[in-house]
Structures are given as C-alpha cells and as structure tokens.
Amino acid sequence: MPTFQHPEYLLLLLLILVIAGIFIYALSYKRTVIKKLGDSELVKLLTSNHNASAYIVKFLLITVAFGLLILALANIRSAIGSEKVSRNGIDVMIALDVSKSMLAQDIKPSRLDRAKQLLSRLVDKLKNDRVGIVVFAGKAYLQMPLTGDHAAAKMYLNAATTESVPTQGTVIGDALKLCNTSFNPKEKKYKALILISDGEDHDEDAVKIATQMGQDGVVIYTIGIGSPQGSPIIDATTGLLKTDTDGNTVISKLNETSLQLIAENASGKYVLFQNTDQVVNEITSQFDSIDKRNISDDSLMNYKSWFRYFLVFAFVFLIIEFFISEKKSGKNSNLKLKPALVILLVLTGYNISAQIKNEKQEIIKGNEAYKKNEFLNALDAYSRVLQKNPDNGIAKFNQGNALFRADKKQEAVSAFEDAIKKLNNPVEKSNAFYNKGVVLQQDKKLPECIDAYKNALKLEPANEDARQNLQKALQQQKQQEKQDQKQDQNKKKQDQKPDKKNEPKLQQSKLTRKDAEEKLKALMEQEKNLQDKLHKVNPASVSKPEKDW
C-alpha cells in the first residue's frame, strides 16, 4: 500500500484553499470595478483584447501544478515487497537449545556461546536459502519465521539466552513440532532442519516426531555440542554450581544416542561439534545434495518513490500555462519571468530527486556493512543520511539495529524511539516498537519492554513475534515478583527470629528409657504398616526427579 515519506508537507495543500479564495475575491473585485466604470459597451470595447476564460484556465493549471509539487515533496512511495526476489534454495529451520545445561563449560566459553557462533557462521553460508529460528528448553518458541533476511536471523541468534525460555528442561519434541509447522505442509522436499543441542532430552517422543517429519520430507541434521564425560553447570543467577533436589552437583553430559536417532530417522546426519569451520563445511556440503527450488522473498526496507512522476506532470502543466495568453492578440509581456520560474521549479525537483537518491544509496551501503558485521561502518553510513535528513525514519530504524549489535543498548533504545516518531507506516512503527522491546528485555528492563511489545501489537495485531516475547516478558516479571516476595519473607523471618537469650529452656523428659524404647518401637511398626498399604495401592510408583536444566 503506497505511503507518504513526509506527510507533514501535505499541510501545504491548505494553501490551495487560500489561493482559491483570493482568486474568487479577485474575480468579484474585477466585476465590481467594471460596474463602477459606468457604460458597459465602453468597458467591453476597452477589454476586448482580454481573454477571461484563459485567465481562469491559467489559474487552474498553476494551482494543479502547485498541488503536484507538494505531493512530490511528500514523496508517495510503495514497498518494493511487491517485486519478488527469486533464487534457488531451500527452507532451513534452526532449533537452538537454550536450556541451562547449555551453560556447561566443557566447550569454551560455554556450549551456548559456541553454538550461537557456529550458527551465525552457518547463516552466512546460506545465501540463497530462507532461514527460521526456534529456541527451546522446557517449551519451544518461534523466534523468527522463515525469511531471507539473514541479518535479522543473526540478530535473533545473538540475543538468545537461557532466559529466552522461562520454562527450563529440554523438550526436543516440542521444538521439532514447531519447526515442522513452520514449513509449507504441501511440499515434500526442499526442507531441512538443524538441531543443535547437548541431547540431554527429557522428552521420549522426539524420535517418533522426527520419524514423522522425515516422512513429510524434512531432512534433520543434528549437531551434538558438549562432552560425553560431562561438566557441571554454573547457575547464571547465583554464580554457583547447580545442584539437584538431593543437593548433589549436576553433571550435564552429551547424549549422542538421542541426537543420532533423530537424524537417522529423518534421513539426515549427526555431527559432533569439534571445530566450527569443520561443522559448517560438513552441513553446507550436505545441503548441496538437497534438491533446490525457486524461492521468492519480499523486502520491506527499500521503497520505490513516485515523486518524479508528480514533478513531470507539474512541469507539463506549467509549460501549458506558459503558452496560454490572456490577450487575444499581441505578445505576452511576462515571457522573461515565466521561463525563470519554470527553470527554478525544475531545478528544485532535480535537487529533491538527487537528495533522495543519495540517501537511498547511503542506506544500502549501511545495510551491506551491517550484513558483514561491520557495525561501526554501518553507523557511519546511517549518520551521513541523518545529517542531511534528520527525518529519515528508515535510517534511524537501521541505526538502532546497528547500535544494538554494537552493544550500545541505551543509544539503540533512543534511536528506536526517534524512529517511532518519524515512521508513518504502521508496520514499520510496530517493528520499531518490537526492536525497542527486544533491547529493553535484554537489558532486564521488563516494565518498559512490556509496554513496547504492547504498542507493537496495537499497531500490528498479527505481529506474532511481539506476542510471544510479550508472554515471555510477563512470565519473567512474575518470576521476578515471586523472587522479590520470597526475599521480603526471608527478611521478615530474620527480623522476627527470637533472641536466644530470651528463649525458654527445654524441659527434660520424664519418660524412662524403657518407656521411650517401647513408644519408638510402636511408631516404627505404624510406619511400616503405612508403607505396606501404600505399596499395595501403587506398587509401581517410582518418583522421577524433576529436572530444570
């Protein structure tokens, strides 16, 4: 849908009403003056050289040209998304394990950090393929649907942490299901899934789901990251080693068997992580053997501007007005002035065209630098655009993305806030609110990020990413409130602890040793009877320890 880049200039159209009012007043005044002259025949004779209808036509032509120039300034544009970018490739879904077991440091600096580095390198190799991202732990969430925007994919991967999924555990089956629903169900090939995990699966259905996906044409490649001997997990919140319910230190071990079975049942391959380049080369070589299809993508960041057409029509109307004379005979006395006016208007239109073209070229340069992870160069390009045109919302939006990737979170938030003010398209504004929310969520500013996601959804209710991240932020806020309440309760308990000096002394038992032994024996007999009854009720009941890593 066409939009205006600078809608504020449309207010100038109100001047047309003012000019029309002045013109109508001028016509009325002329009639009044003619009547005051007296003899109508004499007036007709004196004004026989004047062409009244030409005067009106000339006014209309100039007014229309003025309106077209204002529309050119406002710059009607349409997203080039209607033009499909076609290439041969496949659809690749990435399932990234972000459970706490991925914090184990048997792979330095940690399993999760190395997995993100590996996937970022892999995305760079998938130039002609569409990429989607699912993160999972105790639950799975779609972080990014299938798209050709690889820069956005790398940004989402970089932002993934163990806090991205509030429910802990490792449920690979849910991640496989969510990835499968992201593919086109009508196609039986051109689909691949990369699952990277330590394989410490707490879900027994993963292999069954993988088998079904293989029958649906999805090829699954699994990457095992970790070591068979295992490593303790450092809790990010406490900095201490994680323990189970019995107080024993948790040792997280790589489960290769589970990952191998998933890959084998979906016609894929299991790869053990040892070296980043080796894994990337092996996976990409596997992709080369998969049949490719023609993939089309839409781009929402580049626009086609229509201001040139309005300038051309304005120029044509001015040329026509120039050759229409108000006199029925004789030369036009204003010939010297009007060409100068036309040339001025043409030069103005040319300058506007050149400026917009230069801005677009600088934004493209910035986008190319951004894709190469040259964020400082990208920021320089966007800054050059904003120096010439501070109202360029797209440059401000892209500047916010580059600042975030350069780890300048506060400046990124300010850039997104400025972009929100300058952008007029609801989808673009929703994306700016969403990206602002992502930065705030990474910075642990939950109330502000929740407001940002809500504003994104108000502008674009179909923004599923904003909806999912809003749910995560709300869950994180509840957990934070619970932790705060627990700390307050512990503090109150500490304050309410009785002074040991004033504690009453315990009275000595008056029971004899023989009586105490008999009572203890009776209690043990009751306990044994109770256990026997419970075993009869549920003889196979064995409690499975609950895992949260």
Side-chain angles (χ1 to χ4, degrees):
M1 181 180 177
T3 58
F4 290 98
Q5 184 180 4
H6 303 292
E8 61 273 14
Y9 291 136
L10 295 177
L11 293 173
L12 294 174
L13 291 173
L14 295 174
L15 290 175
I16 294 176
L17 297 176
V18 177
I19 295 170
I22 293 172
F23 178 74
I24 292 170
Y25 173 77
L27 288 178
S28 176
Y29 180 74
K30 284 173 73 174
R31 292 193 189 98
T32 304
V33 170
I34 290 171
K35 286 180 181 178
K36 287 182 179 180
L37 289 176
D39 191 346
S40 59
E41 293 298 326
L42 179 60
V43 170
K44 284 181 181 180
L45 183 62
L46 291 173
T47 59
S48 59
N49 243 3
H50 180 70
N51 189 343
S53 60
Y55 177 70
I56 296 173
V57 170
K58 285 168 71 68
F59 168 78
L60 291 175
L61 288 171
I62 291 174
T63 303
V64 171
F66 180 70
L68 290 171
L69 287 173
I70 292 172
L71 292 175
L73 282 172
N75 188 25
I76 294 179
R77 60 182 185 170
S78 57
I80 304 181
S82 59
E83 295 180 6
K84 301 292 183 181
V85 180
S86 299
R87 54 185 180 269
N88 290 323
I90 59 174
D91 288 340
V92 181
M93 287 299 298
I94 295 172
L96 173 62
D97 185 352
V98 293
S99 60
K100 288 186 178 178
S101 62
M102 293 290 283
L103 296 175
Q105 296 181 2
D106 47 1
I107 303 291
K108 299 295 183 181
S110 72
R111 295 175 184 175
L112 182 58
D113 288 331
R114 190 53 66 90
K116 287 157 60 174
Q117 181 190 64
L118 165 65
L119 292 173
S120 181
R121 191 83 60 84
L122 185 60
V123 167
D124 289 334
K125 297 285 187 178
L126 305 178
K127 294 181 180 179
N128 294 326
D129 304 316
R130 293 197 305 172
V131 179
I133 300 172
V134 167
V135 295
F136 68 95
K139 287 186 178 179
Y141 292 93
L142 178 67
Q143 286 293 96
M144 189 183 80
L146 286 165
T147 177
D149 189 350
H150 291 178
K154 292 173 71 173
M155 185 178 78
Y156 280 112
L157 286 171
N158 185 60
T161 66
T162 54
E163 302 299 322
S164 300
V165 179
T167 306
Q168 280 302 311
T170 310
V171 186
I172 294 178
D174 285 355
L176 296 178
K177 284 180 184 177
L178 191 53
C179 288
N180 198 30
T181 57
S182 300
F183 290 118
N184 185 350
K186 296 180 181 178
E187 292 180 339
K188 291 296 181 182
K189 51 184 179 177
Y190 318 121
K191 300 183 287 188
L193 189 154
I194 300 172
L195 170 67
I196 184 163
S197 171
D198 52 25
E200 203 168 23
D201 187 15
H202 307 163
D203 178 13
E204 299 173 356
D205 293 331
V207 176
K208 295 179 183 177
I209 296 168
T211 304
Q212 182 59 50
M213 290 178 68
Q215 294 172 0
D216 292 338
V218 181
V219 182
I220 301 178
Y221 299 94
T222 56
I223 302 172
I225 189 160
S227 59
Q229 62 270 23
S231 172
I233 304 167
I234 297 177
D235 196 320
T237 55
T238 64
L240 303 174
L241 294 180
K242 189 159 188 62
T243 57
D244 58 21
T245 53
D246 296 327
N248 300 317
T249 300
V250 171
I251 302 296
S252 174
K253 299 179 180 180
L254 171 63
N255 180 6
E256 292 188 276
T257 305
S258 173
L259 296 173
Q260 287 169 347
L261 287 172
I262 290 171
E264 287 172 6
N265 283 275
S267 305
K269 185 178 180 180
Y270 167 74
V271 181
L272 174 63
F273 176 85
Q274 292 176 326
N275 176 276
T276 299
D277 291 332
Q278 171 254 327
V279 175
V280 169
N281 292 334
E282 192 158 353
I283 294 294
T284 50
S285 65
Q286 291 292 322
F287 283 173
D288 291 339
S289 63
I290 299 177
D291 290 339
K292 307 292 190 299
R293 65 166 169 78
N294 185 269
I295 296 176
S296 297
D297 272 317
D298 297 337
S299 173
L300 295 176
M301 297 307 296
N302 295 318
Y303 295 86
K304 182 176 182 179
S305 297
W306 300 90
F307 70 92
R308 297 177 183 84
Y309 301 98
F310 292 95
L311 286 176
V312 168
F313 281 111
F315 178 76
V316 168
F317 283 127
L318 290 172
I319 291 292
I320 294 172
E321 186 274 338
F322 172 74
F323 286 106
I324 295 177
S325 175
E326 294 180 36
K327 294 183 179 181
K328 293 181 179 178
S329 63
K331 293 183 179 180
N332 193 333
S333 60
N334 291 327
L335 284 177
K336 293 182 181 179
L337 176 62
K338 290 181 179 177
L341 176 63
V342 171
I343 291 169
L344 178 63
L345 290 170
V346 171
L347 289 175
T348 302
Y350 177 79
N351 288 335
I352 293 170
S353 172
Q355 181 182 345
I356 292 175
K357 186 176 180 181
N358 290 336
E359 288 177 11
K360 187 175 179 181
Q361 288 175 345
E362 287 291 346
I363 289 175
I364 291 172
K365 284 181 184 177
N367 293 346
E368 289 174 351
Y370 182 92
K371 290 177 182 178
K372 296 176 183 177
N373 292 338
E374 298 172 357
F375 305 120
L376 295 180
N377 291 338
L379 286 171
D380 289 341
Y382 301 140
S383 297
R384 286 194 292 271
V385 175
L386 292 168
Q387 284 174 0
K388 296 177 183 177
N389 181 11
D391 294 327
N392 192 313
I394 296 299
K396 204 68 183 174
F397 177 85
N398 289 357
Q399 185 187 51
N401 289 338
L403 286 167
F404 174 64
R405 293 298 304 277
D407 203 25
K408 298 180 179 180
K409 295 179 182 176
Q410 190 58 47
E411 294 177 36
V413 170
S414 300
F416 287 130
E417 287 173 349
D418 290 341
I420 289 165
K421 296 174 185 175
K422 301 179 192 312
L423 293 169
N424 300 296
N425 185 294
V427 175
E428 293 173 355
K429 190 170 281 194
S430 173
N431 289 337
F433 271 118
Y434 173 78
N435 282 9
K436 176 186 173 185
V438 170
V439 179
L440 290 168
Q441 193 168 8
Q442 289 290 309
D443 214 18
K444 307 296 183 185
K445 296 179 179 178
L446 295 178
E448 294 94 331
C449 88
I450 288 169
D451 288 338
Y453 290 141
K454 286 180 178 178
N455 286 325
L457 286 168
K458 285 178 184 176
L459 290 165
E460 190 189 6
N463 192 333
E464 192 59 32
D465 291 335
R467 192 180 309 282
Q468 290 181 2
N469 279 12
L470 175 60
Q471 291 174 354
K472 294 179 205 171
L474 289 170
Q475 288 174 344
Q476 289 175 350
Q477 190 178 46
K478 286 181 181 178
Q479 288 178 345
Q480 185 64 47
E481 289 173 354
K482 286 180 182 178
Q483 288 178 358
D484 292 342
Q485 288 175 0
K486 191 174 181 181
Q487 289 176 358
D488 291 340
Q489 289 172 358
N490 291 337
K491 190 176 179 182
K492 287 179 181 178
K493 286 180 181 179
Q494 291 290 336
D495 295 339
Q496 293 173 359
K497 260 189 177 181
D499 192 351
K500 289 184 178 180
K501 294 178 182 179
N502 299 325
E503 285 182 2
K505 293 182 179 180
L506 296 175
Q507 293 183 351
Q508 294 182 351
S509 174
K510 295 179 180 179
L511 290 175
T512 64
R513 183 173 181 177
K514 185 177 181 181
D515 292 338
E517 288 177 352
E518 287 179 358
K519 286 197 175 188
L520 180 61
K521 187 176 180 181
L523 287 171
M524 290 177 67
E525 190 66 29
Q526 288 178 5
E527 178 67 19
K528 184 180 178 183
N529 293 336
L530 179 60
Q531 291 293 333
D532 289 341
K533 288 180 182 177
L534 288 173
H535 289 172
K536 288 175 184 176
V537 172
N538 189 10
S541 117
V542 179
S543 61
K544 185 178 180 181
E546 182 182 351
K547 295 183 179 180
D548 65 342
W549 64 88

mmCIF file of all heavy atoms in Angstrom, residues 263-277:
data_model
loop_
_atom_site.group_PDB
_atom_site.id
_atom_site.type_symbol
_atom_site.label_atom_id
_atom_site.label_comp_id
_atom_site.label_asym_id
_atom_site.label_seq_id
_atom_site.Cartn_x
_atom_site.Cartn_y
_atom_site.Cartn_z
ATOM 1 N N ALA A 263 18.444 -37.899 13.835
ATOM 2 C CA ALA A 263 18.953 -37.662 12.480
ATOM 3 C C ALA A 263 18.717 -38.862 11.568
ATOM 4 O O ALA A 263 18.293 -38.715 10.418
ATOM 5 C CB ALA A 263 20.451 -37.328 12.547
ATOM 6 N N GLU A 264 18.970 -40.079 12.073
ATOM 7 C CA GLU A 264 18.815 -41.284 11.259
ATOM 8 C C GLU A 264 17.376 -41.495 10.818
ATOM 9 O O GLU A 264 17.117 -41.938 9.687
ATOM 10 C CB GLU A 264 19.289 -42.502 12.053
ATOM 11 C CG GLU A 264 20.803 -42.574 12.211
ATOM 12 C CD GLU A 264 21.219 -43.675 13.170
ATOM 13 O OE1 GLU A 264 20.318 -44.438 13.600
ATOM 14 O OE2 GLU A 264 22.422 -43.769 13.483
ATOM 15 N N ASN A 265 16.424 -41.167 11.680
ATOM 16 C CA ASN A 265 15.016 -41.383 11.350
ATOM 17 C C ASN A 265 14.432 -40.298 10.458
ATOM 18 O O ASN A 265 13.256 -40.381 10.089
ATOM 19 C CB ASN A 265 14.197 -41.489 12.638
ATOM 20 C CG ASN A 265 14.359 -42.840 13.313
ATOM 21 O OD1 ASN A 265 13.680 -43.797 12.998
ATOM 22 N ND2 ASN A 265 15.304 -42.904 14.254
ATOM 23 N N ALA A 266 15.234 -39.259 10.147
ATOM 24 C CA ALA A 266 14.756 -38.205 9.252
ATOM 25 C C ALA A 266 15.721 -38.017 8.085
ATOM 26 O O ALA A 266 15.836 -36.912 7.549
ATOM 27 C CB ALA A 266 14.586 -36.895 10.027
ATOM 28 N N SER A 267 16.409 -39.094 7.691
ATOM 29 C CA SER A 267 17.291 -39.110 6.512
ATOM 30 C C SER A 267 18.401 -38.079 6.595
ATOM 31 O O SER A 267 18.907 -37.618 5.566
ATOM 32 C CB SER A 267 16.464 -38.863 5.233
ATOM 33 O OG SER A 267 15.423 -39.797 5.138
ATOM 34 N N GLY A 268 18.757 -37.692 7.807
ATOM 35 C CA GLY A 268 19.793 -36.678 7.970
ATOM 36 C C GLY A 268 21.101 -37.259 8.457
ATOM 37 O O GLY A 268 21.429 -38.415 8.200
ATOM 38 N N LYS A 269 21.845 -36.431 9.191
ATOM 39 C CA LYS A 269 23.159 -36.844 9.656
ATOM 40 C C LYS A 269 23.459 -36.189 10.989
ATOM 41 O O LYS A 269 23.078 -35.038 11.227
ATOM 42 C CB LYS A 269 24.229 -36.459 8.627
ATOM 43 C CG LYS A 269 25.624 -36.945 8.971
ATOM 44 C CD LYS A 269 26.620 -36.580 7.888
ATOM 45 C CE LYS A 269 28.021 -37.086 8.253
ATOM 46 N NZ LYS A 269 29.018 -36.741 7.215
ATOM 47 N N TYR A 270 24.134 -36.942 11.854
ATOM 48 C CA TYR A 270 24.569 -36.405 13.137
ATOM 49 C C TYR A 270 26.029 -35.958 13.021
ATOM 50 O O TYR A 270 26.870 -36.661 12.457
ATOM 51 C CB TYR A 270 24.447 -37.454 14.249
ATOM 52 C CG TYR A 270 25.173 -37.064 15.529
ATOM 53 C CD1 TYR A 270 24.655 -36.080 16.360
ATOM 54 C CD2 TYR A 270 26.370 -37.671 15.872
ATOM 55 C CE1 TYR A 270 25.329 -35.709 17.510
ATOM 56 C CE2 TYR A 270 27.046 -37.319 17.033
ATOM 57 C CZ TYR A 270 26.517 -36.329 17.851
ATOM 58 O OH TYR A 270 27.173 -35.951 18.990
ATOM 59 N N VAL A 271 26.331 -34.758 13.566
ATOM 60 C CA VAL A 271 27.692 -34.229 13.538
ATOM 61 C C VAL A 271 28.083 -33.847 14.961
ATOM 62 O O VAL A 271 27.349 -33.119 15.642
ATOM 63 C CB VAL A 271 27.798 -32.980 12.628
ATOM 64 C CG1 VAL A 271 29.232 -32.464 12.606
ATOM 65 C CG2 VAL A 271 27.322 -33.299 11.219
ATOM 66 N N LEU A 272 29.219 -34.322 15.412
ATOM 67 C CA LEU A 272 29.738 -33.954 16.729
ATOM 68 C C LEU A 272 30.568 -32.681 16.588
ATOM 69 O O LEU A 272 31.451 -32.595 15.737
ATOM 70 C CB LEU A 272 30.607 -35.078 17.296
ATOM 71 C CG LEU A 272 31.345 -34.770 18.612
ATOM 72 C CD1 LEU A 272 30.349 -34.499 19.735
ATOM 73 C CD2 LEU A 272 32.292 -35.904 18.978
ATOM 74 N N PHE A 273 30.255 -31.689 17.430
ATOM 75 C CA PHE A 273 30.987 -30.427 17.356
ATOM 76 C C PHE A 273 32.401 -30.600 17.903
ATOM 77 O O PHE A 273 32.601 -31.021 19.046
ATOM 78 C CB PHE A 273 30.271 -29.342 18.162
ATOM 79 C CG PHE A 273 31.035 -28.044 18.190
ATOM 80 C CD1 PHE A 273 30.889 -27.138 17.155
ATOM 81 C CD2 PHE A 273 31.910 -27.741 19.219
ATOM 82 C CE1 PHE A 273 31.605 -25.949 17.146
ATOM 83 C CE2 PHE A 273 32.632 -26.563 19.224
ATOM 84 C CZ PHE A 273 32.474 -25.656 18.188
ATOM 85 N N GLN A 274 33.367 -30.284 17.050
ATOM 86 C CA GLN A 274 34.762 -30.254 17.469
ATOM 87 C C GLN A 274 35.434 -28.961 17.023
ATOM 88 O O GLN A 274 36.243 -28.392 17.728
ATOM 89 C CB GLN A 274 35.510 -31.470 16.905
ATOM 90 C CG GLN A 274 35.052 -32.791 17.516
ATOM 91 C CD GLN A 274 35.735 -33.987 16.887
ATOM 92 O OE1 GLN A 274 36.028 -33.980 15.700
ATOM 93 N NE2 GLN A 274 35.976 -35.013 17.694
ATOM 94 N N ASN A 275 35.039 -28.533 15.811
ATOM 95 C CA ASN A 275 35.606 -27.324 15.236
ATOM 96 C C ASN A 275 34.517 -26.615 14.432
ATOM 97 O O ASN A 275 33.797 -27.251 13.668
ATOM 98 C CB ASN A 275 36.807 -27.683 14.347
ATOM 99 C CG ASN A 275 37.373 -26.479 13.642
ATOM 100 O OD1 ASN A 275 36.887 -26.080 12.592
ATOM 101 N ND2 ASN A 275 38.404 -25.885 14.232
ATOM 102 N N THR A 276 34.399 -25.299 14.605
ATOM 103 C CA THR A 276 33.320 -24.545 13.953
ATOM 104 C C THR A 276 33.359 -24.684 12.441
ATOM 105 O O THR A 276 32.353 -25.016 11.804
ATOM 106 C CB THR A 276 33.400 -23.054 14.343
ATOM 107 O OG1 THR A 276 33.252 -22.924 15.758
ATOM 108 C CG2 THR A 276 32.300 -22.257 13.656
ATOM 109 N N ASP A 277 34.506 -24.432 11.830
ATOM 110 C CA ASP A 277 34.605 -24.485 10.366
ATOM 111 C C ASP A 277 34.308 -25.883 9.838
ATOM 112 O O ASP A 277 33.674 -26.039 8.792
ATOM 113 C CB ASP A 277 36.002 -24.046 9.924
ATOM 114 C CG ASP A 277 36.232 -22.565 10.169
ATOM 115 O OD1 ASP A 277 35.238 -21.807 10.165
ATOM 116 O OD2 ASP A 277 37.387 -22.171 10.391
#
